[in-house]
Amino acid sequence: MSRQDPPIEPLGAETVYDGKQFSVRVGRFRHADGEEVEREFVHRVPAAVIVAYDDEHVWLVRQPREVILQYTLELPAGKLDVEGETPLQTAQRELAEETGCAAERWEEVRSYYPSSGYTDELVHVFAATGLHPTDAEPDPGERIEVVHWPLADLDAALAATNDAKTVIGLQWLRAIL
Amino acid sequence: MSRQDPPIEPLGAETVYDGKQFSVRVGRFRHADGEEVEREFVHRVPAAVIVAYDDEHVWLVRQPREVILQYTLELPAGKLDVEGETPLQTAQRELAEETGCAAERWEEVRSYYPSSGYTDELVHVFAATGLHPTDAEPDPGERIEVVHWPLADLDAALAATNDAKTVIGLQWLRAIL
């Protein structure tokens, strides 16, 4: 993160599991003092998250997360799994698909690594304002429900979610409002 | 998350990769309407994160994350990998190991899932105050540097980190101070 940090050199990685949603790799890395270390990690494409809001509401989705046996309250999001698409284009596509909305103004809020100890997944967070319906029919999926959450009650949304991207995006929104 | 959510029933999972840091499982799940779905996911033990602060500073660590080829600025944290240890006990042990400090007061801030679409990892966030040195020598590891970051400059810490648990913990701290 800073200029003073010594470089970390990748020495190659072997794919030890090749799945549908991610792969697992074992890589070797060399520190500046010559020490080499091995790391087992999940390789996954980046994702884009959208904090879409107007004067009164922020757009959330409630969806099943089978892996944790829960329905979760989340910001709209999706993977960068379309060839050549930028993070912003993914965010625009996902907002339309999940909520049926387009936005006039887009701002990059930040990016973050969900768990950099064992996965290279990177998440880009965008803010979207100037919302208006698109012609395209939203396709949020049968079990995904769009929730227009009141901005006046962001604390309750933060209490109701346990999803990292949603905590990060809503805490950011609460701080700037 | 809410009482109205229909149940999601686990139907069993097969381990398809068994690693040192995590395993990969393919599980089947049944929705309340009878539909069954298959999910590939990373199984990993939970973690505990500590927001340790006094009147002037918050305790951070700077460490190499080889997987993303960067040094990152993070809150102290560790895995619940000791048999029988509670999340609070893990937090207390990790704070001592990484910073050499103990705390008089502990508060559970929240828990969150870093990426619930493909991993069941759960992270518990604690706040620790009333800090004092312990007799035990800290063992942060050769490449881990403890950083006492000024509370007056939390915005700069939030700009300097890209680590999810650290963003969540510092956003929380900024909101309550």
Side-chain angles (χ1 to χ4, degrees):
Chain A
M1 299 291 297
S2 83
R3 289 286 176 83
Q4 298 91 328
D5 291 330
I8 300 169
E9 182 189 357
L11 301 176
E14 180 193 2
T15 298
V16 293
Y17 172 80
D18 194 13
K20 292 179 191 170
Q21 301 297 323
F22 53 80
S23 61
V24 178
R25 298 180 179 179
V26 175
R28 290 191 66 79
F29 303 88
R30 185 189 290 134
H31 284 284
D33 61 8
E35 191 198 1
E36 295 183 10
V37 297
E38 191 175 272
R39 292 289 179 267
E40 173 188 54
F41 65 97
V42 174
H43 169 64
R44 186 170 157 96
V45 296
V49 179
I50 308 102
V51 188
Y53 64 101
D54 60 19
D55 290 344
E56 294 183 354
H57 296 95
V58 59
W59 269 235
L60 300 176
V61 290
R62 177 175 288 278
Q63 63 186 310
R65 291 299 192 181
E66 290 86 358
V67 166
I68 56 171
L69 305 178
Q70 294 176 25
Y71 280 66
T72 58
L73 188 68
E74 303 189 16
L75 290 166
K79 286 190 289 181
L80 272 69
D81 55 5
V82 174
E83 182 77 24
E85 207 174 51
T86 65
L88 175 59
Q89 288 167 336
T90 300
Q92 292 169 333
R93 175 173 56 78
E94 290 287 344
L95 182 65
E97 287 179 6
E98 294 199 354
T99 71
C101 279
E104 288 170 27
R105 292 174 298 280
W106 289 84
E107 174 193 354
E108 188 158 3
V109 172
R110 68 150 51 247
S111 58
Y112 71 89
Y113 292 92
S115 286
S116 63
Y118 75 95
T119 172
D120 62 4
E121 186 191 16
L122 175 63
V123 179
H124 301 270
V125 184
F126 293 92
T129 52
L131 302 171
H132 52 88
T134 58
D135 292 338
E137 280 294 301
D139 179 23
E142 277 181 36
R143 298 185 193 277
I144 303 186
E145 173 197 359
V146 177
V147 179
H148 298 123
W149 196 284
L151 293 183
D153 213 10
L154 281 185
D155 283 349
L158 279 161
T161 189
N162 53 20
D163 172 64
K165 63 181 176 293
T166 308
V167 174
I168 287 173
L170 294 184
Q171 287 187 145
W172 170 82
L173 184 59
R174 189 177 56 177
I176 64 146
L177 285 180
Chain B
M1 300 288 297
S2 83
R3 290 286 177 82
Q4 300 89 329
D5 292 329
I8 300 171
E9 181 188 358
L11 301 176
E14 179 193 3
T15 298
V16 293
Y17 172 80
D18 194 13
K20 292 178 190 171
Q21 300 298 322
F22 52 81
S23 61
V24 178
R25 298 181 179 178
V26 175
R28 289 192 66 80
F29 303 88
R30 185 189 291 135
H31 284 284
D33 60 8
E35 191 198 1
E36 296 183 9
V37 298
E38 192 175 272
R39 291 289 179 265
E40 173 189 53
F41 65 98
V42 174
H43 169 64
R44 185 170 157 98
V45 296
V49 179
I50 309 102
V51 188
Y53 63 102
D54 59 19
D55 290 343
E56 294 184 353
H57 295 95
V58 59
W59 269 235
L60 300 175
V61 290
R62 178 175 286 278
Q63 63 184 309
R65 292 298 192 180
E66 291 86 358
V67 166
I68 56 170
L69 305 178
Q70 294 176 25
Y71 280 66
T72 58
L73 188 68
E74 304 188 15
L75 291 166
K79 285 190 290 182
L80 272 68
D81 54 5
V82 174
E83 181 78 24
E85 208 175 50
T86 66
L88 175 59
Q89 288 167 336
T90 300
Q92 292 169 330
R93 175 173 57 78
E94 290 288 343
L95 182 64
E97 286 179 7
E98 294 199 355
T99 72
C101 279
E104 287 170 27
R105 292 174 297 280
W106 288 85
E107 175 193 354
E108 187 157 4
V109 172
R110 69 150 51 249
S111 58
Y112 71 89
Y113 292 92
S115 287
S116 62
Y118 74 95
T119 172
D120 62 3
E121 186 190 18
L122 176 63
V123 179
H124 302 270
V125 184
F126 293 92
T129 51
L131 303 171
H132 52 86
T134 57
D135 292 338
E137 280 294 301
D139 178 24
E142 279 181 34
R143 299 186 194 277
I144 303 186
E145 173 198 0
V146 177
V147 179
H148 299 122
W149 196 284
L151 292 182
D153 213 9
L154 280 184
D155 283 348
L158 279 161
T161 190
N162 54 19
D163 172 64
K165 64 182 173 294
T166 309
V167 174
I168 288 173
L170 294 184
Q171 284 178 332
W172 170 82
L173 184 59
R174 188 177 57 177
I176 64 146
L177 287 180

